[in-house]
Amino acid sequence: MTGGAALTRSVGLVSLLVLLLGASVFWKFWKAASNAEDNGITLSDMQVEVEKQQLHLSADARITLPATVEAGLDNGVPLTFVLSLQVLQPRTWWLDRTIVDVQRRYTLTYYELTRHYRVRTLETDVNRNFRSLSSALAGLGELSPASFELDTQQLRSMASDDILAILDMSLLQSALPLPLQPIIRSSWSLKSPEYRWSVI
Amino acid sequence: MVSYLNILRQRLLSSAVLMGLLFVVLIASLYVLSTIALQLERFGQFYHWLLIGNALALCFIAVLIIINGWRLMKEFRARIAGSRLTVKLVIVSVLLALVPVTLVYGFSIRFLRANINSYFDLEIDKALDDALELSRESLELQMSMLQRDTLGIAEQLVGVSESVAVIELNALTSGTDASEMTLIGPDNRIIASTGLLDSISFQPNRPENDLVTRAQQGLSYVGVDPIGRGELYIRVVTPVFAEDASSENSVLQALYPIAESSADLAESVQSSYQQYRQLVFLRDPLMISSMLTLTLALLLSVMMALWFALYAARRMMMPIHDLVEGTRSVAQGNYATRIYKRTQNDELGFLVQSFNYMTLQLEQSRQSAEHSQQQVERQRARLQAVLGQISSGVITLDAQNNVLTSNRAAGSILGQELMQIRGQALTYDAQDNSVVAQFSEQVRVPLEQHADNEWSCEIEVYDEGGRRFLFCRGTVLLDSSDQLTGRVIVIDDMTNLISAQRDAAWSEVARRLAHEIKNPLTPIQLSAERLRHKFANKLEDRDAELLERLTHTIENQVDSLKGMVNAFAEYASTPNLTLVPTSMNQLLSEVADLYTDTEHSVQINLSLSEADPHLSMDPPRMRQLTHNLVKNALEAQQGKMPQVVNLSTRVRTGSGTDMLDIIAEDRGPGFRLDIMDRVFEPYVSSKPKGTGLGLAIVKKIVEEHNGKIRAENLAGGGAAVIISLPYSSSLQLRGDAA
């Protein structure tokens, strides 16, 4: 009987350990996938304007690539950056209402033959070519003018007083080559802090 | 039982289906993981979730396996039927699965490494570098030619005023392959441009500011630049020197398209090179990713094997478990055990079917055996009832003459000691003098002499009631193969029969005697009287005296003969009894009172039972019995003073019938031992006087009242006659009421 109880205890312990292992794996991936550290990108001079049915966004992003990422870029790994803008109507007793949630993606690629960098805006299919990485990053950082179409409902909501805008930019890790996926390290994690400001 | 098994079976099936689905999903996800390769745009974002989901599902399955394994171990420790075999099956299955899977895994890793490493060959590396370099040189050749052409145009533009610059530029461009030419003034303003590439905005392609600045400082630039979506152009930026050195230089940019074939080749080289470099860069991650997928596949396979081993073993063991439980149940005597047949067509199903058939047969056999046994029991009970009711004693012996059974009559003939030797040999060496011992002693000889056939003999035994005659017959019991299985002895107590025959004979004698003797007695007496009357006066004194004496003697003897004849008549008579419930104590007291004399020569001591039961009796006959007893006792003490007679009664209960004992004791010389057996027969007497019929009549009266009588000598001298009369308690009550 004592042996049975000990066995029950040990089995319970092993099951718990396996579950903990699973949870830790889950946590690691979750963190790596969604909660990258804020570094590498800083945003400044944000401006949001609504004009006619357009939302105009202008901001400057200063992007610093870690050595690993730069090596990847030089070895042909395309980098996809995501600029994400959310306009929210804060609510005290409820979740904030999202009025606008737009994204713009930029791909930075290096071409060895011509030794130049190309920045492509995926949504507008606009290509810009740069002969140096610094100029390419600077070009990528000039986010203005980024314009987004708004519908009537959004426009009406935007007209109210208390509006919160959240802007951030990050390296889209899911767009990295598959073999990099299981071993994404912090060096591949580029993310700006969330930039919040009230729109009046 | 069956419904529970059905539920269990359904649960097992449903769990198998669920697990099967889970495994299919996991295999599919692993397949996706391994095949989506570089389709990042579509699957990249799912990759993590696939990995996480797989890991979690594997953890879940691991927990399930642990729980299953734990249950199995618990069953194993509890020694539940089939668990040991299940454990063995699981171990064998897991080993069978693990060994090949581990081998394949090891070799896969090895091949994976070798394959991935083989992609990256130094030769290929160099070839690609060379190809890139060749492309560059080919382009540079074109570039140097075009740079020279552009420099010529720039020289021709020196001194051209802004107003005619467009016309001049157009004229110069028309002679070249340039797609677009732009003249930028010293103030960085575009002065003129031709052949605009951008057909949408009609904006000339403006060189980057650093190139303009360099050109203004007199430094030319030539390079292959992608324009717009990546079409390659050779860009030449060259200064257009001012006429006077003090003025700033203008800048001329010319864009030349690269020949389509060259462009395609360059693009192809670029693309291949880029892919190759990317592969080289991703070599380690690719290895890790592949190994991860492979490891997940291995884990999945192992867990599938484990779970399936547990599942299959449990399922396979179910009928065996049932069989073991069923066998135990049957061993405990539960022949109604049936096993639920889980499978139809395999050997286990056949085994289960056979088991069920066997238990059915067993049950039927047992029922038939029980039926037979009941019949035998009934017959035995009937036989016992018959044997219990017959008056002959029946004793059965086994082949070794051990007493097996005996009926009630045997017990009453041979005494209660018969029960004590049940199971023992009948021919035992008796140490006592019980009836059984005497019987055993006497039947030993015929039993040994007639070991295998029938015999009969008469034997005599002695008990407290005196001598008894037993007629014994023996026979052997044989089985179907004529083997001796036992013996039967039938005993008939002939004592009463013989006694009755003797009594009947005596009664007949007495009746005839009375009849034959009584008739001539009266004439003899009358004749004697007449003789005396007639001759008394005629004879002389002496003769007259003689006559007187002789006739007197005749008369006396005739009187005596008359008395004797009356006694015989009485003995032979069979009076009709008038039974009345009467107190024996009272009757004895009345009789005793008659013998009390004033001289105290006779002393009757009464010691009467307090119970004083009323017996159903004929009071005159019983009174005569008492008189006879007392007279007999007194006669035995002839010559003694005083003559003491002790009359006592005692009640005996408990041994079937209630009995009242009447004991008459005297202080005479006691019965002679040689006549002890026959003291109650007529003319058997140790006394000089008496008819010899007193005790015979007593015995007759006792037997008329269904009683028993026996005589014994007392230890301290004297004799006792003990009469036992049956009475019933209900009669006593009636007597009390009366």
Side-chain angles (χ1 to χ4, degrees):
Chain A
M1 207 59 202
T2 317
L7 188 67
T8 311
R9 267 205 301 280
S10 55
V11 165
L13 212 63
V14 170
S15 303
L16 198 69
L17 280 177
V18 170
L19 280 178
L20 281 176
L21 187 73
S24 66
V25 168
F26 181 80
W27 177 247
K28 182 186 182 302
F29 277 100
W30 175 269
K31 205 178 164 200
S34 64
N35 211 11
E37 289 167 34
D38 298 339
N39 62 18
I41 304 174
T42 48
L43 295 171
S44 61
D45 297 337
M46 262 67 63
Q47 280 191 347
V48 177
E49 283 174 10
V50 182
E51 191 181 328
K52 294 182 179 172
Q53 290 208 335
Q54 295 275 319
L55 177 104
H56 295 284
L57 167 72
S58 68
D60 280 337
R62 184 176 299 152
I63 301 169
T64 316
L65 292 185
T68 319
V69 181
E70 199 177 320
L73 182 67
D74 288 344
N75 280 287
V77 176
L79 304 178
T80 305
F81 292 89
V82 179
L83 178 72
S84 167
L85 173 71
Q86 275 187 311
V87 180
L88 304 172
Q89 187 173 27
R91 286 186 286 194
T92 314
W93 300 106
W94 197 236
L95 293 173
D96 293 347
R97 189 164 74 93
T98 307
I99 300 168
V100 178
D101 186 0
V102 287
Q103 290 185 332
R104 189 139 289 185
R105 287 176 297 165
Y106 306 94
T107 311
L108 174 61
T109 319
Y110 175 65
Y111 294 90
E112 178 68 26
L113 178 68
T114 51
R115 292 199 179 95
H116 77 276
Y117 298 86
R118 183 183 301 166
V119 175
R120 178 171 172 233
T121 310
L122 289 174
E123 280 76 13
T124 55
D125 201 16
V126 171
N127 292 281
R128 286 178 289 163
N129 298 294
F130 301 94
R131 282 183 295 105
S132 69
L133 179 61
S134 55
S135 59
L137 289 176
L140 188 60
E142 290 166 9
L143 299 171
S144 65
S147 300
F148 305 97
E149 288 283 335
L150 292 177
D151 60 25
T152 322
Q153 179 67 34
Q154 286 171 324
L155 268 175
R156 201 175 296 148
S157 301
M158 291 288 282
S160 67
D161 289 344
D162 191 12
I163 295 293
L164 179 70
I166 301 173
L167 185 75
D168 65 31
M169 190 176 190
S170 62
L171 177 66
L172 187 63
Q173 294 190 340
S174 62
L176 287 170
L178 197 64
L180 281 174
Q181 297 281 342
I183 48 162
I184 286 173
R185 285 159 290 207
S186 56
S187 55
W188 283 92
S189 159
L190 287 174
K191 192 175 185 350
S192 74
E194 276 187 357
Y195 194 93
R196 290 163 172 264
W197 75 103
S198 294
V199 183
I200 301 169
Chain B
M1 184 75 180
V2 171
S3 63
Y4 169 74
L5 284 172
N6 267 333
I7 291 166
L8 197 69
R9 192 173 166 217
Q10 280 170 2
R11 272 182 58 190
L12 266 175
L13 266 179
S14 59
S15 67
V17 169
L18 282 178
M19 285 302 277
L21 281 175
L22 184 59
F23 281 129
V24 167
V25 168
L26 285 179
I27 290 170
S29 67
L30 277 178
Y31 177 77
V32 170
L33 273 183
S34 61
T35 52
I36 56 178
L38 297 173
Q39 299 180 33
L40 294 180
E41 290 298 317
R42 288 176 63 192
F43 294 111
Q45 55 189 319
F46 300 129
Y47 192 89
H48 279 112
W49 298 112
L50 281 174
L51 275 182
I52 291 167
N54 271 304
L56 285 181
L58 286 178
C59 282
F60 172 69
I61 296 170
V63 169
L64 278 187
I65 287 170
I66 288 170
I67 290 171
N68 265 315
W70 168 67
R71 270 170 53 193
L72 187 60
M73 283 309 292
K74 216 166 76 168
E75 288 175 7
F76 181 77
R77 289 192 173 194
R79 295 180 181 280
I80 287 175
S83 59
R84 266 165 284 185
L85 208 52
T86 313
V87 169
K88 278 183 193 167
L89 258 176
V90 168
I91 290 171
V92 168
S93 311
V94 168
L95 281 179
L96 273 177
L98 264 186
V99 171
V101 164
T102 314
L103 275 176
V104 168
Y105 178 71
F107 279 102
S108 300
I109 294 286
R110 207 176 145 76
F111 281 128
L112 193 70
R113 283 178 189 280
N115 267 339
I116 288 179
N117 284 333
S118 70
Y119 290 159
F120 311 107
D121 195 341
L122 274 177
E123 293 297 318
I124 298 172
D125 213 12
K126 191 166 184 308
L128 275 172
D129 279 347
D130 289 350
L132 194 74
E133 199 55 41
L134 192 64
S135 302
R136 276 197 191 126
E137 279 180 9
S138 152
L139 288 173
E140 274 168 8
L141 191 65
Q142 284 189 48
M143 281 192 290
S144 60
M145 280 164 39
L146 291 171
Q147 189 180 18
R148 201 174 55 230
D149 292 351
T150 313
L151 279 174
I153 293 169
E155 280 172 9
Q156 290 179 40
L157 284 173
V158 171
V160 175
S161 68
E162 286 185 18
S163 53
V164 292
V166 177
I167 301 162
E168 192 64 28
L169 195 62
N170 263 331
L172 288 171
T173 308
S174 59
T176 66
D177 295 332
S179 300
E180 183 183 295
M181 279 211 182
T182 310
L183 184 64
I184 300 167
D187 51 356
N188 280 346
R189 188 170 48 85
I190 293 174
I191 299 168
S193 64
T194 60
L196 296 173
L197 281 172
D198 191 341
S199 56
I200 298 166
S201 65
F202 297 104
Q203 288 286 321
N205 186 292
R206 190 184 164 86
E208 287 166 48
N209 287 338
D210 58 331
L211 293 184
V212 176
T213 311
R214 276 167 51 121
Q216 282 172 344
Q217 291 167 359
L219 295 171
S220 293
Y221 165 83
V222 61
V224 180
D225 283 1
I227 305 289
R229 291 188 178 183
E231 296 90 351
L232 291 177
Y233 286 85
I234 293 175
R235 186 196 296 266
V236 183
V237 183
T238 184
V240 180
F241 294 105
E243 284 179 320
D244 54 340
S246 60
S247 303
E248 287 203 21
N249 298 329
S250 297
V251 175
L252 174 68
Q253 173 186 259
L255 293 171
Y256 299 96
I258 294 176
E260 198 172 333
S261 57
S262 305
D264 287 349
L265 282 174
E267 185 64 41
S268 166
V269 168
Q270 156 73 32
S271 166
S272 303
Y273 183 80
Q274 193 164 354
Q275 277 183 17
Y276 182 74
R277 289 297 300 271
Q278 193 174 345
L279 272 178
V280 172
F281 180 75
L282 293 176
R283 175 163 62 175
D284 289 342
L286 186 66
M287 193 107 76
I288 290 170
S289 147
S290 303
M291 276 162 66
L292 195 70
T293 309
L294 200 61
T295 308
L296 276 176
L298 171 87
L299 279 174
L300 182 64
S301 311
V302 169
M303 289 194 179
M304 267 172 79
L306 257 170
W307 188 87
F308 190 74
L310 279 165
Y311 172 82
R314 193 173 283 275
R315 196 163 162 72
M316 275 173 69
M317 280 303 117
M318 268 184 170
I320 291 175
H321 170 82
D322 292 349
L323 275 171
V324 172
E325 289 294 323
T327 312
R328 279 185 187 159
S329 180
V330 168
Q332 286 163 3
N334 183 12
Y335 296 115
T337 308
R338 300 284 182 279
I339 297 176
Y340 175 72
K341 197 176 165 191
R342 299 162 194 278
T343 51
Q344 294 299 321
N345 299 320
D346 61 0
E347 285 78 4
L348 280 174
F350 178 71
L351 197 57
V352 166
Q353 200 174 358
S354 303
F355 180 89
N356 284 340
Y357 183 69
M358 181 189 77
T359 53
L360 180 71
Q361 293 280 321
L362 273 175
E363 196 182 12
Q364 285 175 350
S365 303
R366 192 177 68 163
Q367 279 174 354
S368 120
E370 275 178 355
H371 185 66
S372 306
Q373 197 178 355
Q374 282 171 358
Q375 274 191 333
V376 168
E377 285 291 328
R378 273 201 297 274
Q379 285 183 352
R380 192 161 157 263
R382 200 176 300 144
L383 192 63
Q384 268 192 341
V386 171
L387 285 175
Q389 292 306 315
I390 63 172
S391 59
S392 300
V394 179
I395 300 174
T396 56
L397 310 173
D398 64 8
Q400 284 74 43
N401 293 332
N402 295 318
V403 177
L404 293 178
T405 62
S406 59
N407 68 347
R408 201 163 57 189
S412 66
I413 293 170
L414 297 179
Q416 296 304 313
E417 291 84 358
L418 182 63
M419 297 301 290
Q420 292 168 8
I421 63 161
R422 183 168 285 190
Q424 296 179 18
L426 181 65
T427 53
Y428 73 114
D429 292 326
Q431 300 298 320
D432 57 358
N433 196 32
S434 63
V435 177
V436 176
Q438 298 172 49
F439 170 77
S440 160
E441 182 68 30
Q442 294 179 64
V443 295
R444 182 179 296 174
V445 176
L447 273 177
E448 285 169 0
Q449 286 177 350
H450 305 278
D452 52 1
N453 54 26
E454 294 182 359
W455 52 270
S456 64
C457 67
E458 287 181 17
I459 60 174
E460 291 182 8
V461 294
Y462 296 88
D463 66 354
E464 54 191 8
R467 185 173 55 173
R468 288 165 62 198
F469 299 94
L470 304 180
F471 181 71
C472 302
R473 281 165 292 157
T475 187
V476 291
L477 298 174
L478 301 175
D479 63 7
S480 55
S481 56
D482 286 343
Q483 290 294 312
L484 178 73
T485 58
R487 296 185 173 85
V488 178
I489 299 174
V490 181
I491 309 156
D492 288 306
D493 190 349
M494 308 299 284
T495 315
N496 291 337
L497 185 64
I498 290 169
S499 173
Q501 284 175 348
R502 198 173 283 162
D503 289 349
W506 271 114
S507 293
E508 183 63 21
V509 168
R511 196 180 59 76
R512 281 174 181 259
L513 267 175
H515 182 72
E516 296 297 333
I517 295 171
K518 200 177 179 180
N519 288 344
L521 281 181
T522 307
I524 290 170
Q525 193 179 15
L526 289 174
S527 298
E529 283 175 4
R530 280 184 69 185
L531 271 174
R532 195 169 58 215
H533 277 291
K534 197 164 188 178
F535 296 106
N537 299 327
K538 292 176 183 172
L539 293 176
E540 293 177 5
D541 291 346
R542 230 182 121 186
D543 290 335
E545 190 184 345
L546 181 64
L547 179 69
E548 177 66 28
R549 203 173 66 234
L550 288 175
T551 53
H552 190 70
T553 302
I554 290 168
E555 281 173 358
N556 279 349
Q557 289 304 313
V558 167
D559 278 343
S560 174
L561 269 176
K562 274 187 176 173
M564 193 176 72
V565 166
N566 285 336
F568 270 116
E570 188 186 345
Y571 178 73
S573 69
T574 50
N576 288 327
L577 296 181
T578 310
L579 298 176
V580 177
T582 310
S583 164
M584 197 67 209
N585 285 357
Q586 193 183 347
L587 191 141
L588 288 176
S589 302
E590 287 170 10
V591 172
D593 285 344
L594 295 175
Y595 286 87
T596 308
D597 59 354
T598 51
E599 294 171 2
H600 300 292
S601 60
V602 172
Q603 188 182 331
I604 309 284
N605 299 325
L606 288 173
S607 170
L608 303 175
S609 163
E610 288 180 6
D612 189 19
H614 283 55
L615 272 66
S616 180
M617 64 172 81
D618 185 49
R621 297 282 285 169
M622 201 52 77
R623 207 168 280 126
Q624 185 184 0
L625 176 144
T626 314
H627 276 298
N628 282 9
L629 277 179
V630 173
K631 271 164 68 182
N632 189 64
L634 293 175
E635 283 169 4
Q637 300 173 81
Q638 201 74 47
K640 279 194 175 181
M641 283 296 284
Q643 294 172 326
V644 179
V645 179
N646 295 328
L647 284 176
S648 59
T649 57
R650 68 170 180 233
V651 169
R652 276 194 291 131
T653 55
S655 57
T657 320
D658 296 332
M659 303 294 281
L660 178 71
D661 287 349
I662 303 156
I663 305 139
E665 293 173 350
D666 62 47
R667 291 182 183 173
F671 297 111
R672 281 208 328 263
L673 289 176
D674 59 332
I675 58 162
M676 196 73 176
D677 301 334
R678 296 178 288 124
V679 289
F680 298 109
E681 290 179 12
Y683 289 95
V684 176
S685 176
S686 54
K687 297 190 293 284
K689 284 181 69 181
T691 58
L693 282 170
L695 286 180
I697 290 168
V698 165
K699 180 174 182 259
K700 193 162 187 291
I701 296 170
V702 167
E703 285 175 351
E704 283 165 6
H705 286 81
N706 297 321
K708 284 184 177 176
I709 186 167
R710 60 192 166 89
E712 62 185 36
N713 289 329
L714 297 172
V721 175
I722 300 151
I723 295 164
S724 299
L725 294 172
Y727 74 95
S728 72
S729 304
S730 57
L731 190 63
Q732 179 195 355
L733 286 174
R734 282 207 303 275
D736 287 342

